[in-house]
Amino acid sequence: MTFDDFLLAFFSLEIVGQAWPILWTGLQQTLLLSAIVVPLGVGGGMLLALLSTVRHRLVRWPLMVWVDFFRAVPPLVLLIFVYAGLPFAGLEVSAIGAVAIGFFLNTGAYYGEILRAGIESVPAGQMEAARSTGLTRWQTMRYVVLPQAVRNVLPDLISNTLEVVKLTSIASVVALPELLFQARQAQSVTYNATPIVAAAVVYFLLLWPVVRLLSRLENRQLAGRR
Amino acid sequence: MAQTPPIVAAHGIHKHFGTLHVLKGVDLMVAERELVFVIGPSGSGKSTLLRCLNRLEEPSSGSITVDGIDMLSRSTDINAARQRVGMVFQSFNLYPHMTALGNVALALRKVQGKSRAEAEARARAALDRVHLADRAGHFPGQLSGGQQQRVAIARAIALEPRVMLFDEPTSALDPELVGGVLAAMRELREDGMTMVVVSHEMGFAKAAADRVVFMADGLVVEQGPPAELFGAPRHERTRAFLGQIERH
Amino acid sequence: MTGLDRFLDSFFNLRVAVEYLPKIIDGFWLTILLAFCIILSGLAAGLALAVLRSLGIRPVNWLIIFVVDLFRALPPLVIIVLLYFGLPAAGLSISGFASAWLSLALVLMAFSEEIFWAGITAVPRGQWEAARSTGLTFAATLGHVVLPQAVRMVVPPLTNRTIAITKGTALASVVAVPEILGAAQAGVSFSFNPTPLTLGALAYVVLFFPVVILGRWIETRFAWKR
Ligand SMILES: Nc1ncnc2c1ncn2[C@@H]1O[C@H](COP(=O)(O)OP(=O)(O)OP(=O)(O)O)[C@@H](O)[C@H]1O
Ligand SMILES: [Mg+2]
């Protein structure tokens, strides 16, 4: 194989031109999907984190099992289970429905852990001070504890969000036409690896700034803990 | 004393940090068994000078020999040379993941290539010299600041250096812990160790130093026996500095 | 049939379970094998890169940072697909197992390099100086003084990241590796019953639940002393 053949197989501009329209729809789907599953995960996580502030053991233990269960099951397994399994129980779910359910359960557990750690990082004195001024429990959470909690774990939240956006690529397995799925379609039509390379480049350009930002935040975090 | 060649001979040391000119041509000679005390205002370059002596900092120009070895030559094995120059830091810098014994034995094993048993025997002897033989198995986190600094001294003397450098060895200690460290330094001196000490412990300087060097703005302003320098300083800068110290 | 019967018959069908359990168990061992390969090579490569980076050779460090960023930004499934479906276009065919191993090892390498590096830079300068002042070489200082402290510091984030990436072994099912999920999906399509998926999910729980708990324990055990 000559170098030109190599370029032709992986970096053919002609193929990129041909495949671009369908890659573009894929990218739009990926962004749309992210815009759905990230808020869903954050919402689910917030729910779990707030529940975890309830100290009762009838809440604590089931909550912990729930979180660890969904952290133990790989997201793709969860997705396949929902998508391919539930119809047997008479519940038809669309691909996007399955993705939403799977991501809610999986990424919700992760966001939940992060937010819980954030809430626990806020000194108890904050809660007491707020309550002593007459704020209700909920108001204290909303205006005093949560803002500090989110700030304290912001790098982790961003990092998890990066992982969630990357994870949307598994939706290709249930034929949801996001970026990776479209790239594979284009690859099988053109018999050329260029579309997949192009998709990888798109992912990289999309997410590189986030990675840079994170690596700065993380270094600062560690440096502060000397 | 003047007959024996100096252990440390530093000439015309300049050091730049970027545009900052920190040492502006410092000369320092230290004779065998001499205890030289270096004092001076903050930022005058005392630490930088000490760190140049064992080449933790690379001088911009000048020459340094220790025990006849050219410290700045490319052909000098700097790691072997550093074994002749013990250094004690303000912040101890003990290895937190090793016991006191492990801290002292590490360089004996890894640089001098001694067996574990021999290195540990030597390390124990060094710890004994600072009266911490009974703390050999403790980790730094389990020792007081004063004990940690004495372990750091043991780590340096175990290598049998020709000269010991102390950079504010007691500045990070609570007042009641200073005495133990100074006592260890005094014993070291009585055993004939050559020492260069940067410190604000003027009482120790008066009692133990052979010579006091006053530095300001990257230069040696004046030097002399403690009685002379403290009793009748010749330079205005020195007087001002000593006046400031006394008021504290 | 009542709803419950139908549910049980679908998801907990004993006959199907007995039939496909051996396949799932085979998949279980394959998952473990894949996981070990990934963890060993990924962490070793990550540590090697971090050590290389500490030498401070500018162009080399830029290259390391770029490679790390690349594999942090790309979704693992995209890398797997690229290797598995793309490499044949270059005349190199690669097995599904190898492509999953290589891809996830590269991802773990990237993340662990970043974590190891953060640990190395978080070891105070005084440790380097003290060690060098006793005549230890750069390599001896790194190996005996700095790395032991750095590694200890990064155990919790490293454990969590390793677990998360290792769960990506399920992605290997996409490239026809009969690990747990692959075996389970094959079972579903042969038996027209989702019980193998239930078994698969259970297998993952058996495998990763203890690991997740271990991660929790390590997190508290190695908690930062503030
Ligand atoms: N690594 C470095 N990079 C840049 N500047 C430095 C560095 N080390 C020291 N300096 C600067 O050099 C000057 C002299 O520092 P040095 O630590 O030698 O002073 P010092 O006399 O020991 O002061 P102190 O009594 O406060 O310890 C200071 O202005 C300091 O900021
Ligand atoms: Mg200083």
Side-chain angles (χ1 to χ4, degrees), chain C residues 93-157:
Chain C
S93 74
I94 180 172
S95 72
F97 186 90
S99 71
W101 173 6
L102 187 57
S103 306
L104 293 172
L106 285 170
V107 172
L108 182 56
M109 171 190 81
F111 277 95
S112 63
E113 189 281 335
E114 194 75 1
I115 295 172
F116 282 127
W117 174 245
I120 290 175
T121 55
V123 174
R125 243 169 69 99
Q127 292 290 314
W128 283 97
E129 294 180 347
R132 295 308 300 271
S133 81
T134 64
L136 290 182
T137 60
F138 178 88
T141 303
L142 190 66
H144 296 291
V145 175
V146 175
L147 279 185
Q149 298 180 54
V151 168
R152 198 190 146 82
M153 252 188 286
V154 299
V155 162

Side-chain angles (χ1 to χ4, degrees), chain A residues 11-182:
Chain A
F11 302 96
S12 156
L13 280 183
E14 197 195 324
I15 302 269
V16 172
Q18 282 174 18
W20 182 247
I22 111 162
L23 289 180
W24 173 239
T25 64
L27 176 58
Q28 287 173 313
Q29 280 286 314
T30 291
L31 293 176
L32 178 69
L33 208 55
S34 303
I36 295 171
V37 295
V38 169
L40 216 54
V42 172
M46 192 61 87
L47 206 67
L48 292 173
L50 288 177
L51 274 175
S52 79
T53 63
V54 180
R55 290 270 163 246
H56 199 284
R57 64 192 150 81
L58 280 184
V59 179
R60 267 174 83 83
W61 283 103
L63 202 64
M64 199 140 128
V65 172
W66 173 280
V67 167
D68 283 352
F69 180 85
F70 286 110
R71 289 203 308 171
V73 178
L76 182 59
V77 176
L78 203 57
L79 178 60
I80 303 271
F81 196 88
V82 172
Y83 183 71
L86 287 191
F88 286 99
L91 289 167
E92 286 293 339
V93 274
S94 63
I96 193 133
V99 170
I101 296 173
F103 273 66
F104 175 75
L105 295 175
N106 173 268
T107 67
Y110 277 92
Y111 277 119
E113 274 300 285
I114 294 169
L115 289 168
R116 182 184 62 79
I119 290 174
E120 284 173 3
S121 75
V122 178
Q126 293 291 313
M127 177 69 113
E128 288 164 9
R131 296 302 296 274
S132 76
T133 65
L135 292 185
T136 64
R137 200 185 135 75
W138 166 242
Q139 285 172 321
T140 304
M141 258 303 159
R142 167 81 181 70
Y143 297 108
V144 178
V145 177
L146 278 183
Q148 299 184 56
V150 168
R151 252 195 68 165
N152 290 351
V153 293
L154 197 57
D156 291 341
L157 285 175
I158 298 175
S159 163
N160 197 48
T161 304
L162 171 69
E163 293 306 307
V164 173
V165 173
K166 281 159 61 180
L167 200 58
T168 57
S169 60
I170 67 172
S172 63
V173 178
V174 295
L176 206 140
E178 49 66 74
L179 186 51
L180 178 58
F181 183 85
Q182 297 294 61

Side-chain angles (χ1 to χ4, degrees), chain C residues 168-191:
Chain C
T169 50
L171 298 176
S173 64
V174 176
V175 289
V177 178
E179 47 66 73
I180 299 175
L181 180 59
Q185 279 181 291
V188 174
S189 49
F190 281 121
S191 65

Side-chain angles (χ1 to χ4, degrees), chain B residues 51 79 82-83 89 93-98 106-107 110-111 155 159, chain C residues 125-127 129-137 140 144-145 148-149:
Chain B
R51 295 153 57 82
N79 296 317
R82 277 176 179 155
Q83 301 240 304
F89 302 82
N93 295 345
L94 289 186
Y95 315 134
H97 61 300
M98 294 181 187
L106 183 66
K110 299 300 166 188
V111 186
R155 175 171 69 185
L159 301 169
Chain C
R125 243 169 69 99
Q127 292 290 314
E129 294 180 347
R132 295 308 300 271
S133 81
T134 64
L136 290 182
T137 60
H144 296 291
V145 175
Q149 298 180 54

